[in-house]
């Protein structure tokens, strides 16, 4: 810093010495006087010149001021004239406008109504599927809808024609070429069959009208096959009557239908517990059916056995009777004991596996309840995280809760029926063995004694 | 449908008790009376056989009726659950604002429960009566088969 200051000071000093050195030093007083006098004279003439110059400039400026004032006056008069003219114009405009209003009369209201109708029609037509067949029909209506213009006769005619066209097209089934947006996003030119304003179908798939972009798109998920089965017929037929599904709500029912989950998806909602219930139920059902076949076969054999005297080995009654026939000449008490033993042995084979069906039929609804509880826990977790604002977030847990209950019941109901029937069969068989076999044996013995 | 089956079974049972059973009862009694020997072990076994045969015929389809009655509320519950699933489907699609769309599911949820309850309650009385009647008849029959030679 100090170094900088030093440089600065020395440079100013140098400058002052150089300035002082320019006029040569006067050698004597006379010369100095002469020099001062000459200088004074020069100064005087210079100042006179400058005075002259200033005076001239003043003259000039005065003249300019005069000119400007003159111009101002001229412009002021001009503006006054224009202002008057403006006022006149304004008055005449008001007069003309009132004139127009008088002459328009009820027509003003009419145009208002037309604009309103045009606006309504435009929104209606843009929502309508028929716009796919007649692209560009909305443009004419756009012109009429504008506030500033007065609709011309042609515009009115186009509005009228548009309404008529919509009416006519709503009642017909037509086929036309149109661009269709596939689920993959690409656009293709396809033959589209349109059923009134309700459905559009192309290549065996339902289409959806997208009013925002004024385009047809293929539904990414199609409804159940029973709604689809007649589409091909609908697309190829000419003039005959065909049965086909039509959505009277112009697509909204169809879009709901598409969103309803299929059976497979419903099962998936059930989650792990759902699959567990189903597999358990399936096992129990298979076991129960096998049991049923066995019991029915045994019943047939036992009935056959009832009719003959000879005991065969292939059925429980025959085996019990064989015990008697194999040991003739026993006293009654030993015989009864032997018969009881044989019957007990048969009982366990007849009754086997029925308990398992019973257990599954009771456990399935309980497991369904378990699934319900886990589903509800999930739901409440969703509520603690996101609040109750969005029911859609809760729906996942709730559908798990309900689907598992449903699966539990679906498994339990046939099993309860099956079990009750099988138990009746088994009980009759056991009763028959326990109470009737000894009677039969007794009768045979009597018959033999009688012989 | 279950209710229909249940009522068919109940009516069948009632008709059986009124028409077929007395004849059968008499036939069995006649076979018993024809016997001269009524005291030996063989005779007791044959008596037991007769009683068991009749009781079996009497009891047939009573357990089925009972299990059908138990099934009715279960089916009602099933209907309720499917109805609720429908309600939540609607809820997931349309949000909670559309009460009218949900109403169908709700009615589908409540009506089966009601129907199941009504069917079960109406069946319950007849099932209990039938069971009692069956027990009484079988006891009466075994009383009628006297054990000694008159």
């Amino acid at each position: 810093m100090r170094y900088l200051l030093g440089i600065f000071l020395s440079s100013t000093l140098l400058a002052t010495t150089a300035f002082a050195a320019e006029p040569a030093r006067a050698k004597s007083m006379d010369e100095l006087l002469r020099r001062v006098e000459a200088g004074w004279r020069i100064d005087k003439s210079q100042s006179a010149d400058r005075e002259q110059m200033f005076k001239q400039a003043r003259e000039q400026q005065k003249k300019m001021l005069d000119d400007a004032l003159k111009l101002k006056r001229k412009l002021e008069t001009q503006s006054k004239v224009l202002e008057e003219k403006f006022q006149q114009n304004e008055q005449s405009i008001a007069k003309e406008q009132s004139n127009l209003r008088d002459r328009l009369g009820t027509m003003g209201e009419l145009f208002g109504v037309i604009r309103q109708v045009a606006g309504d029609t435009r929104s209606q037509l843009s929502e309508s599927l028929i716009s796919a067949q007649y692209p560009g029909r909305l443009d004419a209506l756009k012109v009429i809808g504008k506030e500033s213009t007065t609709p011309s006769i042609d515009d009115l005619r186009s509005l009228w024609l548009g309404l008529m066209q919509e009416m006519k097209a709503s009642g017909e089934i037509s086929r036309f070429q149109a661009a269709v947006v596939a689920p993959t996003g690409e656009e293709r030119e396809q033959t589209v069959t349109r059923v009134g304003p309700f459905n559009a179908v192309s290549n065996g798939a339902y289409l959806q009208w997208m009013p925002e972009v004024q385009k047809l798109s293929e539904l990414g998920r199609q409804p159940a096959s029973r709604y689809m089965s007649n589409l091909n017929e609908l697309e190829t037929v000419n003039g005959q009557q065909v049965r086909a599904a039509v959505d009277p709500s112009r697509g909204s029912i169809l879009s709901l239908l598409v969103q309803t989950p299929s059976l497979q998806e419903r099962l998936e909602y059930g989650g792990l517990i759902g699959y567990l219930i189903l597999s358990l139920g399936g096992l129990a059902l298979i076991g129960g059916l096998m049991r049923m076949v066995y019991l029915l076969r045994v019943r047939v054999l036992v009935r056959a056995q009832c009719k003959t005297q000879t005991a065969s080995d292939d059925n429980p009654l025959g085996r019990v009777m064989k015990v008697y026939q194999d040991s003739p000449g026993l006293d009654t008490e030993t015989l009864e004991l032997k018969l009881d033993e044989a019957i007990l042995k048969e009982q366990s084979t007849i009754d086997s596996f029925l308990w398992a069906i019973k257990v599954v039929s009771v456990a399935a609804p309980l497991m369904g309840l378990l699934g319900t509880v886990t589903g509800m826990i999930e739901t409440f977790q969703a509520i603690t995280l996101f609040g109750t604002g969005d029911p859609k977030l809760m729906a996942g847990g709730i559908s798990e809760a309900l689907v598992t209950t449903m699966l539990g019941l679906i498994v339990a109901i046939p099993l309860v029926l099956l079990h009750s029937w099988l138990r009746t069969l088994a009980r009759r068989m056991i009763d028959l063995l326990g109470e009737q076999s000894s009677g039969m044996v007794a009768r045979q013995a009597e018959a033999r004694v009688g012989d | 449908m279950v209710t229909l089956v249940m009522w068919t079974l109940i009516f069948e049972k009632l008709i059986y008790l009124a028409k077929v059973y007395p004849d059968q009862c008499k036939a069995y009694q006649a076979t018993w009376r024809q016997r001269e020997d009524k005291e030996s072990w063989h005779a007791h076994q044959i008596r037991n056989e007769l009683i068991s045969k009749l009781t079996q015929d009497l009891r047939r389809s009573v357990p089925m009726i009972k299990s059908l009655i138990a099934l009715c509320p279960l089916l009602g519950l099933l209907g309720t659950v499917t109805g609720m699933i429908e309600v939540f489907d609607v809820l997931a699609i349309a949000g909670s604002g559309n009460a009218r769309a949900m109403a169908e599911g709700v009615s589908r949820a409540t009506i089966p429960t009601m129907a199941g309850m009504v069917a079960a309650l109406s069946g319950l009385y007849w099932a209990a009566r039938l069971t009692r009647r069956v027990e009484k008849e079988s006891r009466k029959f075994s009383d009628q088969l006297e054990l000694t030679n008159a």
Side-chain angles (χ1 to χ4, degrees):
Chain A
M1 186 70 202
R2 190 182 289 173
Y3 180 66
L4 263 177
L5 206 67
I7 289 177
F8 180 71
L9 276 178
S10 58
S11 67
T12 45
L13 271 178
L14 273 173
T16 44
T17 47
F19 185 68
E22 200 198 332
R25 248 171 225 276
K27 282 169 182 153
S28 65
M29 282 305 277
D30 281 349
E31 200 180 340
L32 182 69
L33 190 68
R34 234 182 302 125
R35 269 197 204 175
V36 169
E37 251 173 46
W40 180 71
R41 229 171 280 132
I42 289 167
D43 279 356
K44 201 177 168 187
S45 75
Q46 269 180 350
S47 60
D49 283 352
R50 278 168 72 183
E51 210 172 0
Q52 192 68 31
M53 214 163 72
F54 283 141
K55 271 183 188 154
Q56 269 180 3
R58 210 177 80 188
E59 288 290 311
Q60 219 170 2
Q61 275 170 353
K62 204 173 177 185
K63 208 174 141 199
M64 273 166 72
L65 182 67
D66 283 349
D67 285 351
L69 282 175
K70 224 180 273 171
L71 190 66
K72 187 190 156 206
R73 262 195 301 277
K74 200 172 143 197
L75 287 175
E76 264 172 2
T77 51
Q78 202 177 354
S79 116
K80 218 173 270 172
V81 168
L82 283 175
E83 210 165 288
E84 256 167 48
K85 201 172 178 187
F86 177 76
Q87 269 172 357
Q88 268 176 5
N89 280 348
E90 205 150 70
Q91 275 171 357
S92 76
I93 283 172
K95 216 159 90 186
E96 291 295 332
Q97 265 179 349
S98 77
N99 211 354
L100 177 71
R101 222 174 294 136
D102 287 347
R103 294 214 181 138
L104 213 57
T106 50
M107 294 290 269
E109 233 166 87
L110 181 72
F111 286 137
V113 170
I114 285 170
R115 271 190 210 108
Q116 197 188 336
V117 169
D120 288 353
T121 313
R122 199 159 75 88
S123 64
Q124 202 181 335
L125 293 196
S126 77
E127 293 281 325
S128 167
L129 185 59
I130 299 165
S131 296
Q133 190 173 1
Y134 308 104
R137 64 175 182 164
L138 294 175
D139 299 344
L141 293 172
K142 213 184 276 177
V143 176
I144 306 175
K146 269 186 199 154
E147 274 294 324
S148 53
T149 55
T150 308
S152 68
I153 290 285
D154 283 341
D155 290 340
L156 294 185
R157 199 165 284 149
S158 74
L159 170 63
W160 179 70
L161 279 176
L163 281 171
M164 288 294 284
Q165 187 189 43
E166 174 80 8
M167 262 186 246
K168 180 175 156 285
S170 335
E172 66 186 12
I173 294 170
S174 64
R175 229 162 263 146
F176 55 93
Q177 291 285 327
V180 172
V181 181
T184 50
E186 57 188 295
E187 221 173 295
R188 273 174 308 200
E189 196 78 10
Q190 287 179 347
T191 310
V192 177
T193 307
R194 175 179 64 77
V195 184
F198 305 113
N199 282 136
V201 169
S202 178
N203 290 352
Y206 279 104
L207 304 179
Q208 190 184 27
W209 174 245
M210 299 185 292
E212 307 86 40
V213 289
Q214 296 284 309
K215 263 176 198 158
L216 285 168
S217 72
E218 195 178 313
L219 282 171
R221 261 179 70 157
Q222 295 288 328
S225 58
R226 65 195 156 114
Y227 303 112
M228 309 284 292
S229 54
N230 282 336
L231 290 191
N232 278 328
E233 217 178 324
L234 177 69
E235 281 187 87
T236 50
V237 85
N238 254 327
Q240 292 108 319
Q241 287 200 339
V242 187
R243 268 175 186 279
V246 166
D247 177 9
S249 67
R250 306 180 179 208
S252 56
I253 289 180
L254 197 66
S255 62
L256 287 187
L257 205 63
V258 165
Q259 282 187 37
T260 50
S262 61
L263 196 66
Q264 173 95 40
E265 282 166 317
R266 277 205 201 287
L267 287 185
E268 276 163 20
Y269 283 147
L272 182 68
I273 291 173
Y275 287 123
L276 216 62
I277 291 172
L278 277 184
S279 49
L280 208 60
L283 279 180
L285 198 69
I286 291 169
L289 289 177
M290 272 159 63
R291 216 53 224 161
M292 190 180 82
V293 170
Y294 169 76
L295 282 175
L296 286 176
R297 200 175 62 89
V298 165
R299 191 169 75 166
V300 169
L301 288 174
V302 165
R303 277 192 183 156
Q305 180 67 60
C306 282
K307 283 173 192 148
T308 61
Q309 294 284 326
T310 48
S312 63
D313 239 349
D314 60 356
N315 67 78
L317 185 61
R319 283 194 286 270
V320 171
M321 281 167 76
K322 205 156 196 166
V323 170
Y324 164 71
Q325 283 174 5
D326 283 351
S327 50
L330 278 173
D331 60 310
T332 50
E333 270 179 36
T334 325
L335 181 64
E336 202 171 345
L337 282 175
K338 276 205 143 189
L339 285 180
D340 278 351
E341 194 196 337
I343 289 163
L344 268 178
K345 217 190 276 169
E346 296 300 333
Q347 236 178 34
S348 60
T349 53
I350 290 173
D351 254 349
S352 66
F353 203 71
L354 286 186
W355 63 270
I357 300 175
K358 179 83 182 164
V359 164
V360 172
S361 77
V362 172
L366 285 181
M367 283 171 75
L369 190 60
L370 181 68
T372 305
V373 173
T374 55
M376 288 318 283
I377 288 173
E378 206 172 289
T379 306
F380 283 110
Q381 263 170 359
I383 290 177
T384 37
L385 282 177
F386 306 109
T388 52
D390 193 356
K392 292 178 191 185
L393 282 173
M394 297 190 275
I398 289 174
S399 63
E400 187 195 331
L402 292 172
V403 166
T404 49
T405 310
M406 188 182 73
L407 288 178
L409 287 172
I410 284 177
V411 165
I413 287 171
L415 283 182
V416 165
L417 272 180
L418 190 67
H419 176 257
S420 116
W421 188 44
L422 288 183
R423 208 191 48 190
T424 317
L425 275 181
R427 179 124 331 264
R428 282 168 73 88
M429 200 69 65
I430 288 164
D431 280 357
L432 191 130
L433 282 179
E435 292 165 6
Q436 293 171 27
S437 63
S438 46
M440 267 174 221
V441 166
R443 224 174 321 156
Q444 277 185 24
E446 278 186 355
R448 208 165 293 172
V449 169
D451 288 343
Chain B
M1 220 274 290
V2 172
T3 323
L4 202 75
V5 173
M6 185 183 79
W7 279 105
T8 323
L9 284 175
I10 289 177
F11 278 125
E12 189 255 356
K13 202 74 212 164
L14 285 174
I15 290 169
Y16 169 77
L17 279 174
K19 290 264 165 67
V20 186
Y21 170 69
D23 296 346
Q24 207 176 2
C25 191
K26 263 174 212 151
Y28 281 180
Q29 272 176 338
T31 49
W32 178 249
R33 293 227 169 93
Q34 274 170 10
R35 284 182 65 90
E36 296 118 29
D37 165 34
K38 288 180 182 169
E39 286 171 354
S40 69
W41 178 83
H42 290 169
H44 282 194
Q45 295 303 329
I46 288 171
R47 179 174 171 273
N48 278 349
E49 188 196 353
L50 286 178
I51 295 173
S52 148
K53 264 186 185 164
L54 196 80
T55 317
Q56 225 172 47
D57 279 345
L58 269 174
R59 285 214 187 113
R60 175 187 287 165
S61 82
V62 169
M64 206 52 170
I65 292 174
K66 278 190 179 163
S67 63
L68 284 178
I69 287 171
L71 221 58
C72 277
L74 276 186
L75 279 173
L77 189 58
L78 183 64
T80 304
V81 173
T82 51
M84 288 315 285
I85 288 175
E86 199 170 302
V87 169
F88 282 106
D89 275 352
V90 170
L91 207 66
I93 292 165
S96 57
N98 198 345
R100 199 170 295 172
M102 289 195 285
E104 196 209 332
V106 172
S107 78
R108 236 194 240 184
T110 45
I111 286 175
T113 313
M114 192 191 69
M117 288 292 160
V118 167
L121 285 177
S122 64
L124 212 57
Y125 169 73
W126 286 102
R129 251 194 92 154
L130 277 179
T131 336
R132 272 242 310 280
R133 179 88 192 272
V134 163
E135 291 302 319
K136 213 169 81 186
E137 291 291 344
S138 85
R139 242 180 293 134
K140 215 162 92 187
F141 178 70
S142 65
D143 282 349
Q144 279 166 358
L145 301 184
E146 53 285 291
L147 279 171
T148 50
N149 292 317

